[in-house]
Amino acid sequence: MSRYSALGLLRGAFNGQKHWQPAWRDPEPRKSYDVIVIGGGGHGLATAYYLASVHGVRNVAVLEKGWIGGGNTGRNTTLVRSNYRQPQLHNLFEFGLKLWHGLSDELNYNVMFSPRGAMFLGHSDADMAKLAELGDAMRCDGIDADLLTRDQVEKVEPLLDFSRNARFPIEGAVIQWRAGTARHDAVAWGYARAADALGVDIIQKCEVTGFVRDGDAVIGVETTRGRILAARTGICVAGHSGHVAGLAGLRLPIESQTLQAVVTEGVKPMVQSVIMSNSLHCYISQSDKGGVVMGGDPDNWPSYARRGQPTVVEHAIAQAIGLMPALSRLRMLRTWSGVTDMSFDGAPIIGPTPIDNLFLNGGWCYGGFKATPASGWTYAHTLATGTPHALNAPFSLERFMTGATIDETGVGPMPNHR
Amino acid sequence: MYQIDCPHCGPRAQSEFTFDRPVEAIVPPDAAAADALQALYTRTNPMGVDDEVWRHTYGCRAWLVLTRDRVSHAIDAVRALGPEALS
Ligand SMILES: [Zn+2]
């Protein structure tokens, strides 16, 4: 792998930039591997990269049905943060946030991570008490969180509606300054290039159609490009976990639902941070190209269609305009949707399954992108050693049967009410 | 699927309806604890047709069973919820 650098770019300028090579190979699948990762999204590619770089497991294949980064990695709203109340969640996401801060250097690929701050708005005294508790819980584990007054919020985001007859009055916020956004495609491409350089085979247009069994154990997969064997197989296809695990006969605590997002035409900087509100259900940020990105709740009924209801988008936009009336002047560029794994406590699943040699990483609900490095790192540990790391041990599949769920919103087994 | 044909009210906009759970997740009152746990916490979640419990929440408020494709969104049948709808 040739290293990307400013000097290389300058040198290329003298020969018409003709030195560029493909960033990863396009290999034929081998007959067998030490580890197969099903799913070439950010999480799967990160898993392969950390298997090779941290654990020295380089005989690895990433199997992708379409093209890498073409699923939820290319469909999210690129938010990166670790501001969760439950210690298991914020410790996992914070581990990831620390990796995000050095990721461009580590991968030698600009993932455009921009720690511009992410805030939860408070609209009432009760909101502010809850946000103070959230901030305290984070700070107890060494994670940054600052409680902002109404005036302090106005300094960061002057375009929010601070008038006293505002649709959603703003009383303050809790902000995590180290949080922000990243370039979603670059994350997949950066991990792919770095993993490929360490010997990982990235095999695209290769759909898994079944599992090869030896007794109870999984010893490989059937694919549209033939049978491929592996000592360990990891499912990493959030959105379609139910479908792929179903090929092995597993029933998961997951329902697949549509989550939509919206982006406007590009404008000059008007949203400085990432604005979220738990009392409402919308979040607003501005991309580096200038488009204002907004999202809201899932459509709340099962679907694999990547096609949502306009009413749900309308609801999210109405709330965003209520918070920031100037947004009403922008034209909508496009809306899109992805299929999300809604797990039954709102938290992910990373660990072994009841089937020998088969592992699962999924259930990311609407919050998987931010976890890409942490998900890959802990899943690589799990696949290399056969046992979970302390960070992902709480996110076992058994927790739903033992009652040890990690329910940030306290809703219970009702993914459509989350 | 932007219109659902309620057996009581006729075709109405989907925004009047709410999804509750797949039929397989209905827990019988006399279920053993282990079976109730399975029904509440696991799903087939098929990439295809399933039977689902919906409610005409912002209409007649009746419970319904939809046989619905989760990829094409085509609705094959809408029935009022009752013993014969589940059999
Ligand atoms: Zn009706």
Side-chain angles (χ1 to χ4, degrees):
Chain A
M1 177 178 92
S2 63
R3 224 181 134 67
Y4 293 161
S5 67
L7 194 63
L9 202 60
L10 193 64
R11 205 180 294 128
F14 291 102
N15 70 356
Q17 301 288 352
K18 285 182 192 138
H19 66 295
W20 294 98
Q21 299 291 318
W24 51 86
R25 297 165 295 127
D26 182 20
E28 281 301 312
R30 283 180 236 159
K31 289 215 165 359
S32 76
Y33 291 90
D34 291 339
V35 177
I36 285 175
V37 178
I38 305 172
H43 290 222
L45 294 162
T47 303
Y49 169 72
Y50 291 116
L51 272 169
S53 67
V54 176
H55 302 279
V57 183
R58 298 182 174 203
N59 186 22
V60 175
V62 178
L63 308 183
E64 167 54 46
K65 173 185 169 185
W67 60 92
I68 60 166
N72 290 338
T73 302
R75 291 164 186 272
N76 57 79
T77 50
T78 79
L79 308 184
V80 174
R81 56 189 179 88
S82 64
N83 48 359
Y84 285 79
R85 168 69 183 81
Q86 300 295 321
Q88 302 95 321
L89 285 165
H90 65 222
N91 287 335
L92 178 72
F93 287 119
E94 175 62 14
F95 181 82
L97 187 55
K98 285 180 179 144
L99 291 175
W100 275 109
H101 276 259
L103 198 58
S104 292
D105 276 344
E106 165 144 18
L107 300 179
N108 180 229
Y109 202 100
N110 188 1
V111 300
M112 298 170 72
F113 176 58
S114 160
R116 58 185 68 179
M119 62 167 86
F120 281 121
L121 295 175
H123 306 286
S124 63
D125 286 351
D127 267 6
M128 290 314 295
K130 204 176 161 201
L131 292 180
E133 195 213 359
L134 167 68
D136 286 349
M138 290 164 63
R139 291 177 78 114
C140 281
D141 278 321
I143 303 169
D144 73 307
D146 283 328
L147 205 58
L148 302 184
T149 63
R150 179 184 157 85
D151 291 345
Q152 287 169 320
V153 177
E154 190 165 6
K155 285 209 174 64
V156 182
E157 296 292 357
L159 289 183
L160 289 171
D161 188 355
F162 290 93
S163 63
R164 272 301 167 196
N165 55 2
R167 173 70 183 83
F168 305 114
I170 291 162
E171 301 301 334
V174 67
I175 192 163
Q176 181 177 33
W177 290 107
R178 290 161 55 252
T181 61
R183 171 87 170 94
H184 49 353
D185 292 330
V187 177
W189 299 335
Y191 273 120
R193 174 168 167 273
D196 175 88
L198 295 173
V200 170
D201 280 357
I202 296 165
I203 301 163
Q204 304 183 74
K205 295 179 193 162
C206 180
E207 181 179 358
V208 169
T209 54
F211 289 92
V212 186
R213 307 289 280 261
D214 179 13
D216 281 344
V218 163
I219 56 163
V221 292
E222 303 286 0
T223 78
T224 48
R225 294 176 68 172
R227 172 178 288 196
I228 311 173
L229 301 179
R232 288 186 177 136
T233 302
I235 300 172
C236 198
V237 296
H240 289 67
S241 298
H243 172 67
V244 174
L247 297 174
L250 285 176
R251 289 167 58 87
L252 301 180
I254 286 174
E255 217 160 71
S256 294
Q257 294 182 5
T258 297
L259 182 66
Q260 302 187 74
V262 189
V263 67
T264 69
E265 60 186 325
V267 288
K268 287 183 179 180
M270 64 181 288
V271 183
Q272 315 304 323
S273 63
V274 176
I275 304 169
M276 298 173 289
S277 169
N278 278 342
S279 298
L280 313 178
H281 297 279
C282 79
Y283 35 93
I284 312 166
S285 66
Q286 191 168 14
S287 79
D288 291 334
K289 281 195 289 189
V292 177
V293 183
M294 290 169 276
D297 275 346
D299 274 24
N300 284 338
W301 43 279
S303 171
Y304 283 97
R306 288 178 176 154
R307 189 168 73 243
Q309 294 174 101
T311 48
V312 175
V313 172
E314 193 179 18
H315 185 63
I317 294 173
Q319 293 192 329
I321 291 172
L323 287 170
M324 190 176 274
L327 291 175
S328 69
R329 312 309 298 163
L330 300 185
R331 283 171 294 191
M332 191 164 81
L333 194 62
R334 64 176 179 273
T335 72
W336 67 95
S337 41
V339 182
T340 56
D341 273 6
M342 296 304 293
S343 74
F344 286 16
D345 62 357
I349 300 159
I350 317 169
T353 68
I355 299 172
D356 282 351
N357 306 336
L358 183 65
F359 297 78
L360 174 70
N361 179 333
W364 286 98
C365 299
Y366 30 73
F369 177 73
K370 68 174 89 72
T372 304
S375 166
W377 200 93
T378 55
Y379 201 31
H381 179 99
T382 309
L383 284 164
T385 64
T387 49
H389 185 267
L391 281 168
N392 67 308
F395 299 98
S396 69
L397 186 55
E398 303 93 73
R399 73 177 186 270
F400 298 94
M401 295 298 139
T402 59
T405 54
I406 304 163
D407 197 340
E408 178 88 357
T409 47
V411 172
M414 295 305 241
N416 49 316
H417 296 170
R418 199 162 288 290
Chain B
M1 56 171 296
Y2 299 112
Q3 228 174 35
I4 296 174
D5 197 358
C6 175
H8 310 290
C9 314
R12 294 295 189 94
Q14 188 199 332
S15 50
E16 292 184 9
F17 297 80
T18 45
F19 166 79
D20 186 70
R21 65 185 73 195
V23 166
E24 65 175 359
I26 297 175
V27 186
D30 56 351
D35 296 338
L37 209 54
Q38 284 292 328
L40 277 176
Y41 278 99
T42 69
R43 295 285 189 274
T44 310
N45 194 20
M47 211 166 98
V49 176
D50 203 3
D51 290 327
E52 302 170 343
V53 179
W54 286 65
R55 194 176 193 193
H56 194 182
T57 312
Y58 307 105
C60 66
R61 301 184 68 78
W63 293 93
L64 310 168
V65 171
L66 270 64
T67 304
R68 192 178 67 88
D69 190 306
R70 291 176 177 182
V71 181
S72 72
H73 289 175
I75 300 170
D76 293 340
V78 185
R79 290 161 289 168
L81 182 55
E84 78 260 32
L86 287 179
S87 61

